Amino acid sequence: MNSFTHNITTIDRVGDMFRRDHLEEAGIHGRQYSLILNLVSHPGISQEELSQRTYLNKSNVARQLVQLEEAGFVTRRFSEDDKRIQLVFPTEKARALAPQILKTHQEWRDFLDEGFTPDEIETFTTLLDRMAQRARQYGDQKNTKK
C-alpha cells in the first residue's frame, strides 16, 4: 500500500509534468514557476531569502536564476548596503507571465478536485494545510541553523 507521502510526491511530480506541458511555451521549466511567483510577490529579495521561501537549495536557486535572467524573466543586482548580497527583481516579462502561472495552478487544482464534494475538498485541504505547516516548521528550523 502506498503511503500518503508517496502519493503527495506523485501528485507533485505529475503536477510538474502538467505545468511543463502548459508553461514550456512561455520558456520556463521545473520549479522556475515558483521562483517567478515569489519574485513577483516579493521583488528585490535576496537569493538566500528566495531559497528559504521556496525551500530550495541555494545552489539550485542560483542556477535557476541564471537561466531566468538569460531568458529575460529576472534581473539581479548587488545590494547597496552589502555588496555580498544579490537582490533579485522580476522583469515585466515575469510579471506578465504570473497570471498564466496562476491559471495553470488553478487548472491543475480543478483537475485534482474533480469528483470530490466541496466538503471532502475542504476537509482534505484543512488536513493538508496542517501537514504543510508542520513541514514548514522543520524547513524553517533548518534555515535558521545555517
Side-chain angles (χ1 to χ4, degrees), residues 51-53 55 138-146:
S51 174
Q52 290 173 352
R53 289 186 65 76
Y55 301 100
Y138 180 83
D140 292 344
Q141 287 173 357
K142 293 291 284 185
N143 283 336
T144 57
K145 289 181 181 178
K146 292 180 180 179

Side-chain angles (χ1 to χ4, degrees), residues 65-83:
L65 288 176
V66 167
Q67 292 176 9
L68 288 170
E69 191 170 32
E70 289 172 353
F73 288 106
V74 302
T75 59
R76 295 183 292 171
R77 59 179 177 258
F78 288 101
S79 168
E80 293 190 14
D81 297 331
D82 186 341
K83 298 295 183 194

Side-chain angles (χ1 to χ4, degrees), residues 26-76:
I28 63 170
H29 59 82
R31 300 290 174 165
Q32 291 176 341
Y33 72 90
S34 177
L35 299 176
I36 288 173
L37 289 179
N38 271 280
L39 290 169
V40 168
S41 297
H42 307 282
I45 67 173
S46 70
Q47 286 185 203
E48 183 165 342
E49 290 173 289
L50 187 57
S51 174
Q52 290 173 352
R53 289 186 65 76
T54 57
Y55 301 100
L56 295 172
N57 180 291
K58 288 181 197 178
S59 61
N60 288 342
V61 168
R63 278 192 297 274
Q64 293 301 313
L65 288 176
V66 167
Q67 292 176 9
L68 288 170
E69 191 170 32
E70 289 172 353
F73 288 106
V74 302
T75 59
R76 295 183 292 171

